[in-house]
Protein backbone atom coordinates (compact mmCIF):
# COMPACT_ATOMS: atom_id res chain seq x y z
CA UNK A 1 0.00 0.00 0.00
CA UNK A 2 1.24 3.49 -0.86
CA UNK A 3 2.45 4.98 2.44
CA UNK A 4 2.46 8.53 1.04
CA UNK A 5 -1.24 8.25 0.24
CA UNK A 6 -1.95 6.82 3.66
CA UNK A 7 -0.19 9.81 5.21
CA UNK A 8 -2.17 12.15 2.97
CA UNK A 9 -5.43 10.61 4.21
CA UNK A 10 -4.29 11.11 7.80
CA UNK A 11 -3.89 14.83 7.04
CA UNK A 12 -7.30 15.08 5.39
CA UNK A 13 -9.95 17.48 6.59
CA UNK A 14 -13.30 18.62 5.16
CA UNK A 15 -14.46 22.07 4.12
CA UNK A 16 -18.06 22.88 3.25
CA UNK A 17 -19.26 25.11 0.41
CA UNK A 18 -22.73 26.63 0.88
CA UNK A 19 -25.52 25.75 -1.55
CA UNK A 20 -27.88 28.74 -1.69
CA UNK A 21 -31.60 28.78 -2.43
CA UNK A 22 -31.78 31.26 -5.32
CA UNK A 23 -35.28 32.40 -4.42
CA UNK A 24 -34.87 32.97 -0.69
CA UNK A 25 -31.11 33.21 -0.11
CA UNK A 26 -31.38 30.58 2.64
CA UNK A 27 -28.77 27.84 2.94
CA UNK A 28 -30.20 24.75 1.24
CA UNK A 29 -27.13 22.66 1.97
CA UNK A 30 -23.37 22.29 1.80
CA UNK A 31 -21.08 20.27 -0.43
CA UNK A 32 -18.45 18.45 1.63
CA UNK A 33 -15.06 18.82 -0.07
CA UNK A 34 -11.97 16.85 0.96
CA UNK A 35 -8.86 18.90 1.71
CA UNK A 36 -5.28 17.83 2.50
CA UNK A 37 -3.54 19.92 5.16
CA UNK A 38 0.14 20.55 4.39
CA UNK A 39 3.02 21.08 6.79
CA UNK A 40 2.26 24.82 6.97
CA UNK A 41 -1.34 24.16 7.98
CA UNK A 42 -2.78 25.19 4.61
CA UNK A 43 -5.65 23.10 3.25
CA UNK A 44 -5.42 22.20 -0.45
CA UNK A 45 -7.51 20.13 -2.83
CA UNK A 46 -7.30 16.35 -2.77
CA UNK A 47 -7.58 16.32 -6.60
CA UNK A 48 -3.86 15.62 -7.29
CA UNK A 49 -4.07 12.23 -5.54
CA UNK A 50 -7.74 11.27 -5.88
CA UNK A 51 -7.25 9.07 -8.95
CA UNK A 52 -4.53 7.06 -7.18
CA UNK A 53 -6.76 6.65 -4.12
CA UNK A 54 -9.76 5.57 -6.20
CA UNK A 55 -7.65 2.94 -7.96
CA UNK A 56 -6.93 1.20 -4.64
CA UNK A 57 -10.05 -0.35 -3.01
CA UNK A 58 -8.53 -0.28 0.48
CA UNK A 59 -7.52 3.39 0.26
CA UNK A 60 -10.88 4.29 -1.27
CA UNK A 61 -12.70 2.61 1.61
CA UNK A 62 -10.52 4.47 4.13
CA UNK A 63 -11.17 7.76 2.37
CA UNK A 64 -14.93 7.23 2.41
CA UNK A 65 -15.03 6.23 6.06
CA UNK A 66 -12.83 9.15 7.11
CA UNK A 67 -14.84 11.61 5.02
CA UNK A 68 -18.23 10.42 6.30
CA UNK A 69 -16.87 10.29 9.85
CA UNK A 70 -15.87 13.95 9.61
CA UNK A 71 -19.26 14.87 8.15
CA UNK A 72 -20.93 13.15 11.08
CA UNK A 73 -18.71 14.99 13.57
CA UNK A 74 -19.16 18.38 11.93
CA UNK A 75 -22.79 18.45 10.82
CA UNK A 76 -25.02 16.07 12.76
CA UNK A 77 -25.02 18.40 15.82
CA UNK A 78 -26.42 21.09 13.48
CA UNK A 79 -29.19 19.00 11.92
CA UNK A 80 -31.57 19.41 14.88
CA UNK A 81 -30.80 23.10 15.31
CA UNK A 82 -31.20 23.94 11.63
CA UNK A 83 -33.83 21.71 9.99
CA UNK A 84 -33.94 21.54 6.21
CA UNK A 85 -30.34 21.78 5.05
CA UNK A 86 -28.49 18.81 3.60
CA UNK A 87 -24.88 17.75 3.06
CA UNK A 88 -23.77 16.53 -0.35
CA UNK A 89 -20.73 14.30 -0.78
CA UNK A 90 -19.08 12.71 -3.81
CA UNK A 91 -19.11 8.91 -3.59
CA UNK A 92 -17.43 6.55 -6.04
CA UNK A 93 -19.82 4.03 -7.68
CA UNK A 94 -17.34 1.39 -6.50
CA UNK A 95 -18.46 2.23 -2.94
CA UNK A 96 -22.08 3.20 -3.58
CA UNK A 97 -22.74 0.04 -5.57
CA UNK A 98 -20.59 -2.42 -3.61
CA UNK A 99 -21.76 -5.19 -1.31
CA UNK A 100 -20.12 -6.83 1.71
CA UNK A 101 -19.13 -10.50 1.81
CA UNK A 102 -22.59 -11.23 3.23
CA UNK A 103 -24.28 -9.41 0.38
CA UNK A 104 -25.22 -6.29 2.31
CA UNK A 105 -24.71 -2.88 0.63
CA UNK A 106 -21.29 -1.51 1.60
CA UNK A 107 -22.47 2.11 1.69
CA UNK A 108 -25.36 1.30 4.00
CA UNK A 109 -22.93 -0.71 6.16
CA UNK A 110 -20.63 2.33 6.46
CA UNK A 111 -23.54 4.63 7.30
CA UNK A 112 -24.74 2.24 10.01
CA UNK A 113 -21.23 1.90 11.43
CA UNK A 114 -20.93 5.69 11.71
CA UNK A 115 -24.46 6.14 13.15
CA UNK A 116 -25.50 8.14 10.10
CA UNK A 117 -28.59 6.11 9.21
CA UNK A 118 -30.90 8.42 11.22
CA UNK A 119 -29.74 11.26 8.95
CA UNK A 120 -30.25 9.59 5.57
CA UNK A 121 -32.71 12.32 4.52
CA UNK A 122 -30.04 14.97 5.24
CA UNK A 123 -27.31 13.34 3.12
CA UNK A 124 -26.97 13.35 -0.68
CA UNK A 125 -24.49 11.07 -2.46
CA UNK A 126 -23.12 12.42 -5.74
CA UNK A 127 -21.67 10.62 -8.75
CA UNK A 128 -20.71 12.25 -12.05
CA UNK A 129 -22.82 12.09 -15.21
CA UNK A 130 -20.13 9.98 -16.90
CA UNK A 131 -20.27 7.50 -14.03
CA UNK A 132 -24.07 7.55 -13.84
CA UNK A 133 -24.47 6.54 -17.48
CA UNK A 134 -22.13 3.55 -17.16
CA UNK A 135 -23.42 0.10 -16.24
CA UNK A 136 -21.62 0.27 -12.89
CA UNK A 137 -23.01 3.72 -12.20
CA UNK A 138 -26.59 2.77 -13.02
CA UNK A 139 -26.31 -0.29 -10.76
CA UNK A 140 -24.88 1.89 -7.97
CA UNK A 141 -27.71 4.41 -8.28
CA UNK A 142 -30.29 1.62 -8.22
CA UNK A 143 -28.78 0.08 -5.10
CA UNK A 144 -28.57 3.50 -3.46
CA UNK A 145 -32.23 4.13 -4.24
CA UNK A 146 -33.23 0.75 -2.81
CA UNK A 147 -31.49 1.73 0.41
CA UNK A 148 -33.22 5.13 0.69
CA UNK A 149 -30.04 7.12 -0.05
CA UNK A 150 -30.67 10.49 -1.70
CA UNK A 151 -28.78 10.77 -4.98
CA UNK A 152 -27.29 13.48 -7.18
CA UNK A 153 -25.68 13.47 -10.62
CA UNK A 154 -22.79 15.91 -10.93
CA UNK A 155 -21.31 17.54 -14.07
CA UNK A 156 -24.60 17.19 -15.96
CA UNK A 157 -24.25 18.07 -19.64
CA UNK A 158 -20.52 17.41 -19.83
CA UNK A 159 -20.72 13.75 -20.90
CA UNK A 160 -20.86 12.37 -24.41
CA UNK A 161 -23.95 10.18 -24.15
CA UNK A 162 -26.62 12.85 -24.09
CA UNK A 163 -28.69 14.00 -21.14
CA UNK A 164 -31.78 12.23 -22.48
CA UNK A 165 -30.32 8.95 -21.20
CA UNK A 166 -30.85 10.20 -17.66
CA UNK A 167 -34.61 9.95 -18.11
CA UNK A 168 -34.36 6.37 -16.90
CA UNK A 169 -32.61 7.33 -13.66
CA UNK A 170 -34.33 8.05 -10.36
CA UNK A 171 -32.33 10.86 -8.78
CA UNK A 172 -32.95 13.79 -6.47
CA UNK A 173 -30.50 16.45 -7.69
CA UNK A 174 -28.92 17.44 -11.02
CA UNK A 175 -25.78 19.57 -10.73
CA UNK A 176 -24.78 21.94 -13.52
CA UNK A 177 -21.04 21.96 -14.07
CA UNK A 178 -18.99 25.16 -13.75
CA UNK A 179 -17.93 24.81 -17.41
CA UNK A 180 -21.52 25.59 -18.46
CA UNK A 181 -22.10 28.28 -15.85
CA UNK A 182 -19.07 30.36 -16.92
CA UNK A 183 -20.46 30.58 -20.48
CA UNK A 184 -23.86 31.91 -19.46
CA UNK A 185 -24.64 35.35 -20.93
CA UNK A 186 -21.80 34.75 -23.43
CA UNK A 187 -22.82 31.64 -25.36
CA UNK A 188 -26.36 30.99 -26.60
CA UNK A 189 -25.68 27.25 -26.83
CA UNK A 190 -24.71 27.11 -23.15
CA UNK A 191 -27.88 28.97 -22.21
CA UNK A 192 -30.01 26.54 -24.23
CA UNK A 193 -28.27 23.55 -22.66
CA UNK A 194 -28.94 24.89 -19.17
CA UNK A 195 -32.60 25.48 -19.99
CA UNK A 196 -32.82 21.95 -21.38
CA UNK A 197 -31.38 20.50 -18.17
CA UNK A 198 -33.93 22.48 -16.16
CA UNK A 199 -36.72 20.92 -18.25
CA UNK A 200 -35.20 17.47 -17.75
CA UNK A 201 -35.06 18.04 -13.99
CA UNK A 202 -38.75 18.94 -13.91
CA UNK A 203 -39.57 15.76 -15.84
CA UNK A 204 -37.77 13.52 -13.33
CA UNK A 205 -38.76 15.69 -10.34
CA UNK A 206 -35.19 16.60 -9.41
CA UNK A 207 -33.77 19.82 -8.02
CA UNK A 208 -31.10 21.72 -9.97
CA UNK A 209 -27.88 23.04 -8.41
CA UNK A 210 -25.55 25.29 -10.43
CA UNK A 211 -21.89 24.98 -9.39
CA UNK A 212 -19.11 27.48 -9.95
CA UNK A 213 -21.23 30.64 -9.84
CA UNK A 214 -18.83 33.57 -9.77
CA UNK A 215 -20.66 36.64 -11.11
CA UNK A 216 -23.89 38.52 -10.54
CA UNK A 217 -24.87 38.04 -14.19
CA UNK A 218 -24.60 34.26 -13.84
CA UNK A 219 -26.57 34.26 -10.59
CA UNK A 220 -29.37 36.41 -12.03
CA UNK A 221 -29.62 34.28 -15.19
CA UNK A 222 -29.82 31.04 -13.21
CA UNK A 223 -32.47 32.35 -10.85
CA UNK A 224 -34.58 33.73 -13.72
CA UNK A 225 -34.22 30.47 -15.69
CA UNK A 226 -35.64 28.43 -12.82
CA UNK A 227 -32.53 26.87 -11.26
CA UNK A 228 -33.26 26.01 -7.64
CA UNK A 229 -29.89 26.42 -5.96
CA UNK A 230 -26.52 28.08 -6.60
CA UNK A 231 -23.04 27.26 -5.32
CA UNK A 232 -19.82 29.17 -5.86
CA UNK A 233 -17.47 31.97 -4.88
CA UNK A 234 -20.13 34.54 -5.71
CA UNK A 235 -21.60 33.66 -2.32
CA UNK A 236 -18.84 31.87 -0.48
CA UNK A 237 -15.77 29.63 -0.80
CA UNK A 238 -15.67 26.28 0.97
CA UNK A 239 -15.53 26.91 4.72
CA UNK A 240 -14.12 25.15 7.77
CA UNK A 241 -16.75 23.40 9.88
CA UNK A 242 -16.52 25.99 12.66
CA UNK A 243 -18.04 28.63 10.37
CA UNK A 244 -21.18 26.65 9.43
CA UNK A 245 -23.48 27.87 12.25
CA UNK A 246 -22.80 31.50 11.36
CA UNK A 247 -23.60 30.90 7.69
CA UNK A 248 -26.74 28.90 8.51
CA UNK A 249 -27.96 31.73 10.73
CA UNK A 250 -27.31 34.50 8.23
CA UNK A 251 -27.79 32.94 4.80
CA UNK A 252 -27.75 35.36 1.85
CA UNK A 253 -31.32 36.74 1.89
CA UNK A 254 -30.45 40.07 0.29
CA UNK A 255 -28.06 38.99 -2.45
CA UNK A 256 -30.32 40.21 -5.29
CA UNK A 257 -31.40 43.46 -3.63
CA UNK A 258 -27.83 44.36 -2.65
CA UNK A 259 -26.62 43.82 -6.21
CA UNK A 260 -29.38 45.92 -7.72
CA UNK A 261 -28.53 48.73 -5.29
CA UNK A 262 -24.83 48.51 -6.21
CA UNK A 263 -25.64 48.59 -9.94
CA UNK A 264 -27.86 51.64 -9.46
CA UNK A 265 -25.19 53.42 -7.42
CA UNK A 266 -22.60 52.74 -10.13
CA UNK A 267 -24.77 54.50 -12.70
Amino acid sequence: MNQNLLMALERMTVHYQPIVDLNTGAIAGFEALSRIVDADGKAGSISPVIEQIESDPVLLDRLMRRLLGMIRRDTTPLFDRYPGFYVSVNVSPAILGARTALGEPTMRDILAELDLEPYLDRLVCEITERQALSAQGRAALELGRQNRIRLAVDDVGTGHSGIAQMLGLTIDVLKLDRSQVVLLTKDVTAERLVRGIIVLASMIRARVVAEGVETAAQAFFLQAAGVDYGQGWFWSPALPAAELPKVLEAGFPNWRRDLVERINEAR
Side-chain angles (χ1 to χ4, degrees), residues 7-8 11-15 35-44:
M7 292 174 62
R11 300 197 310 274
M12 193 186 86
T13 188
V14 181
H15 285 186
R35 297 286 187 260
I36 302 296
V37 180
D38 64 20
D40 296 326
K42 295 180 180 178

Side-chain angles (χ1 to χ4, degrees), residues 41 58 89 116-117 131 140 157 161 165-166 170 188 196 228:
V58 175
V89 57
L116 280 167
E117 283 192 302
Q131 293 168 332
S161 301
Q165 289 194 38
M166 282 190 290
T170 304
V188 173
D228 300 289

Side-chain angles (χ1 to χ4, degrees), residues 5 29-30 33 68 71 74 112 142 169 186 191 209 211 216 241 245 253:
L5 293 179
F30 296 93
L33 299 167
L68 286 169
I71 290 172
D74 296 338
E142 179 58 30
L169 304 178
K186 301 176 184 177
E191 295 178 3
V209 177
E211 294 184 297

Side-chain angles (χ1 to χ4, degrees), residues 11 39-40 62 76 86 102 110 115 127 144 148 153 218 265:
R11 300 197 310 274
D40 296 326
R62 290 197 183 189
T76 56
Y86 68 90
L102 298 176
I110 294 173
D115 295 323
I127 68 173
R148 300 186 295 109
V153 174
Q218 293 165 1
E265 288 173 1

